[in-house]
Structure formats: C-alpha cells, structure tokens
Amino acid sequence: MAFRFVHTADLHLDSPLRSLAMRNGDLAELIGDATRQALIAIVDLCIDEQVNALIIGGDLYDGDQTSMKTARFLASQMQRLHEAGIATFIIRGNHDALSRITQELILPPSVTVFGGRSHAVDISHGDLALSVHGLSFAKPQAPESLLEKFHRPTPDAVNIGIMHTSLAGAAGHDLYAPCKASELHAWGFDYWALGHIHVRTQHAGDRTVIMPGMPQGRDINEAGEKSITLITVNDDRSLTIEERPTSIAQFERIPVDLSSAATWREAADLIEDAMGVTRDRTRSAHLVGRLRLTGATPLSWQLRRDRDLLLAETEQRAEGIGKTWIEKIEIATTAPISTSTGNPSADPVLELGELVRNDIIHQHGVREAIRDLVKELRDDLPPEARGFSGDNEAAFEALVDQLLSEGSEDMLARLKPEAAEIG
C-alpha cells in the first residue's frame, strides 16, 4: 500500500504587503489574502488526493506575528486535515522562531510540531515502515550546519528528514543552517523535505532532496508559478515526485517592445497583446504583471509625461482580458536618435536630450553623486529591504546606470510642451 504526502514550506501566512502599491484597494486585498488562499488550496489538495500526511518545512508565519486571527486560521486548516485522517508534520523556521503565537497555538493531535531536539516519528503503513525526522529552532539565527544533530536513518524504514536551511546560500536569503546538498544525499535519508529558499529546486543525487519553494509569491521579486510537491512512496520503496501548482496570484514581469509604435493606440495595442500572451500561459487564477516598456519610439516623451493616463488605459485593457492586474509600469523607452547630419535640431529639448544622454550622465561627478545617494538610501534601510541594490557590485552599478538613464528621460519628458495625443 503506497504512502503519499505533500511537502511545502515558506507559507508566510498574513505576510504584510511590501512593494505593492496601495493605490488599488482590490489588488491589495487580493495579494493580502493570497497566502491564506494558498494554504486552503494545499489542504484541499491533500484531502482530494487522499494523502496520508502534509509536511511543512518551516516559516508558516512571517516574523514577529502577534495576531491570533492568523493562529485561529491555521488551526482551522489543521483541523480539516485532522478530520480527514491526514497527519501533519511541522518544523519551525527562522521566521516562526520570532512569532509570539508559535508557543501558544493549540493544534489537533494529528499535528506534530518538532522541537529543538531532533527526534523521529515512526509510522506503519501496510507493509511500509516510515520514519519522519524533524528539528525546529527557538531562535532565528542558525549560522552553523544542523545536519549532525539529526539521528541516523532508522533501519529497514523509509526515512524522511525535514530541515529549514539555506544550503550553500542563495541570493536574497540569509545564511541559515548551511550545508551541502551532497551531504544530505550522503546522510542516508530517502527524502529530504527542505524549506527556506523560495524557489523550487530538486537537487540531483543518490537520494531525493527537494526545496519546494513557496506556495504563493508576495511581490514581483517572487515571480512565477508557485507549487507544492506531492510524493508517493511506492510498495517497493521507490519515490514518485509530482509538482502541483498552488499560487492564487502569479507575479510576472512583462516586457513590451514599443519600437514599432508611432501612435498612442499602437502602443496600447502592443501592451494589451503582451498582457494577453502572458495571461494565456499563466495557470494561476490571477496574473499580477509588472510592465517594462522598452524601445526607441517617438512616444517616449508622451509615455512618461502622461504616465497616469497610460496606467488607466492599461488597467482598463487588463480588466477586459480578465483576472489580470497591473502592479507597476516601468518606462525605459528612448526617443529615436536622429540620423540627420548638418544643421542642428530646431527643438532645444531634443538637443538637450542628446547632450544629457551622450555627455552629462557619463561625467564622473554626476555618477558618483547618484551612487552616493543610492548607497545612503540602502544603508538606512533594514537588511531585508536592501535587495533592490543588487547582490554584487556589478548589479549595483547596473542599477546606477538604469537610474541615470531613466531619470534623465523622465526629466526631459517634463520639458516637452506638446499636449498629449490620446487616441
């Protein structure tokens, strides 16, 4: 008789909105409730698939969570699993360790929350013997590997380990209980149910080591479809791995090349086409897109100056597509470069634009001033909010280049005197 379980992690229930603009109350409500809806979808999946267990690899919460509403919601979902005869195994991650409600929450008896010492829960399922190993943390810091704190595999059993770890490190994630995937493979467990890194990865090797990613993204930096992992332990102890989507709202970056657009309507049509293509390949119920407009177009001035009109037009077309939302519009277009030689342009703004693009923004003093401003802003922010400046020096310099280029185009657009031509 096969044993089936779902593996997830990093739900970050009721995580506060971060980069989402609060101008759109309906969108804010959708994203604010998405983590709860993802957990409901996971529980629904467990019940529909009649699995035997749910494993959560840490970070149920999002830090110093004080709301008992979150606790009651979690308990209600665990109760649904309990009534369906599904066991739940949970470890506390670094965010859970900060939560004030972690210790107070009363969960059904079918839920096992592992403590600060590794132990194993033995399960008999037909002819299969299984052993589930877990370890939680009371503190958010775990600078050293925790692998040696786990028991060795239980003989003659299918061994499943649950660990919250950054492995060898990942961009945007603090170093947390670091270890190598090769070390996990060598430990002897049949399956490692990991958590902490928000991108799904299956680490190849002799055993099965999976970081499931998060089941619901919370902003554009957690873009893409999110999922859980469904595992079947077959009678011969082999494992069958399936990935199932769970995200309610899917963030996506949508590039739009406006090089061929000469009129406002043509630009709007190109944007709508790009949104439609992305919507068609999005399996989540809702698409939340960040548009990035590029290309050399005579509309470059107008797009910047009339950004509010562009947003209104785009949101109307997104509504027509259905369940499509605009999180932000990034305008990185440029004015066409004149190919004429001889007399200078009669438009002083165009001449200023060429001077800015070709000379001023490349001057050392200008660049250094912008670099210092960005560094000052970055250093004043808490560590978790500094990712915008990149993970290395090259990424930081690329950000400075982007700010110089786009900032100069925005400035020049405001100098253009013509009225917008909408239609």
Side-chain angles (χ1 to χ4, degrees):
M1 182 187 303
F3 182 89
R4 307 177 77 213
F5 66 94
V6 164
H7 169 207
T8 189
D10 301 286
L11 282 84
H12 295 278
L13 288 173
D14 294 341
S15 176
L17 298 180
R18 295 192 283 183
S19 65
L20 182 64
M22 297 304 292
R23 57 172 177 77
N24 190 327
D26 291 337
L27 179 55
E29 182 179 357
L30 169 68
I31 302 305
D33 193 50
T35 56
R36 288 194 179 204
Q37 293 303 315
L39 178 56
I40 292 172
I42 292 169
V43 173
D44 288 344
L45 174 66
C46 289
I47 295 173
D48 292 343
E49 292 286 346
Q50 297 181 326
V51 303
N52 303 101
L54 170 64
I55 290 177
I56 302 176
D59 281 1
L60 272 167
Y61 309 121
D62 196 62
D64 191 10
Q65 177 61 262
T66 58
S67 173
M68 288 306 295
K69 291 181 179 179
T70 304
R72 287 193 293 269
F73 169 74
L74 175 63
S76 70
Q77 296 306 308
M78 297 299 99
Q79 182 65 31
R80 291 179 62 204
L81 293 171
H82 175 72
E83 292 172 358
I86 299 171
T88 304
F89 299 94
I90 300 173
I91 62 169
R92 298 188 182 104
N94 53 310
H95 283 276
D96 299 321
L98 291 169
S99 173
R100 297 178 184 176
I101 63 176
T102 300
Q103 304 294 336
E104 303 172 11
L105 186 59
I106 299 175
L107 296 170
S110 57
V111 177
T112 298
V113 180
F114 290 92
R117 284 188 170 185
S118 174
H119 74 277
V121 176
D122 295 326
I123 301 172
S124 294
H125 183 75
D127 294 333
L128 283 174
L130 303 101
S131 188
V132 181
H133 307 252
L135 174 66
S136 288
F137 302 96
K139 297 181 180 179
Q141 296 81 22
E144 299 178 353
S145 174
L146 300 167
L147 182 58
E148 292 294 334
K149 294 187 177 183
F150 279 80
H151 293 166
R152 286 291 177 174
T154 302
D156 302 319
V158 176
N159 287 269
I160 301 167
I162 316 174
M163 181 189 289
H164 202 75
T165 172
S166 61
L167 291 176
H173 294 273
D174 293 334
L175 198 64
Y176 186 80
C179 63
K180 297 178 181 178
S182 59
E183 295 173 335
L184 297 178
H185 284 291
W187 194 255
F189 287 176
D190 298 274
Y191 185 91
W192 275 103
L194 305 182
H196 186 61
I197 297 174
H198 293 175
V199 178
R200 187 182 192 277
T201 308
Q202 182 167 345
H203 297 272
D206 295 335
R207 309 289 176 161
T208 304
V209 178
I210 291 181
M211 186 74 70
M214 62 194 321
Q216 173 60 57
R218 297 166 296 167
D219 61 27
I220 194 63
N221 294 316
E222 295 168 345
E225 183 177 88
K226 305 303 178 184
S227 62
I228 55 84
T229 303
L230 174 61
I231 303 92
T232 300
V233 182
N234 301 299
D235 292 338
D236 61 358
R237 296 181 48 164
S238 64
L239 303 182
T240 302
I241 309 299
E242 302 175 61
E243 183 182 2
R244 298 289 183 88
T246 52
S247 47
I248 308 303
Q250 181 172 327
F251 288 87
E252 291 289 351
R253 288 181 167 87
I254 306 175
V256 187
D257 185 354
L258 296 183
S259 299
S260 63
T263 68
W264 185 273
R265 182 174 295 277
E266 289 173 350
D269 288 344
L270 287 169
I271 292 171
E272 182 177 9
D273 290 344
M275 290 191 298
V277 169
T278 306
R279 174 67 265 186
D280 287 344
R281 64 169 182 253
T282 298
R283 292 197 292 172
S284 301
H286 295 267
L287 166 65
V288 183
R290 175 176 291 191
L291 295 165
R292 182 168 178 81
L293 313 183
T294 61
T297 170
L299 296 168
S300 186
W301 309 97
Q302 188 178 337
L303 293 170
R304 285 177 165 80
R305 187 186 56 224
D306 301 323
R307 188 187 295 262
D308 55 340
L309 298 178
L310 176 65
L311 178 60
E313 172 81 19
T314 303
E315 287 182 331
Q316 181 178 6
R317 296 196 178 212
E319 184 177 347
I321 293 171
K323 294 186 177 181
T324 302
W325 307 78
I326 303 305
E327 180 255 6
K328 185 178 181 181
I329 299 179
E330 296 178 340
I331 302 177
T333 57
T334 59
I337 299 175
S338 175
T339 58
S340 62
T341 57
N343 294 331
S345 168
D347 189 334
V349 176
L350 288 178
E351 291 186 21
L352 176 61
E354 291 188 16
L355 179 63
V356 170
R357 283 188 290 270
N358 298 326
D359 185 17
I360 294 177
I361 67 174
H362 300 293
Q363 293 180 6
H364 180 72
V366 174
R367 184 180 182 81
E368 284 302 304
I370 298 299
R371 289 178 85 258
D372 290 344
L373 283 173
V374 176
K375 284 184 177 180
E376 182 179 354
L377 172 62
R378 179 193 63 191
D379 295 344
D380 285 343
L381 293 173
E384 63 271 16
R386 297 174 187 167
F388 77 93
S389 63
D391 299 316
N392 52 50
E393 191 67 22
F396 178 78
E397 294 299 333
L399 172 65
V400 174
D401 289 336
Q402 177 184 342
L403 292 174
L404 285 166
S405 176
E406 295 183 8
S408 62
E409 293 293 337
D410 285 344
M411 176 195 71
L412 293 166
R414 294 180 180 276
L415 299 177
K416 200 70 172 170
E418 293 95 323
E421 298 175 5
I422 312 296

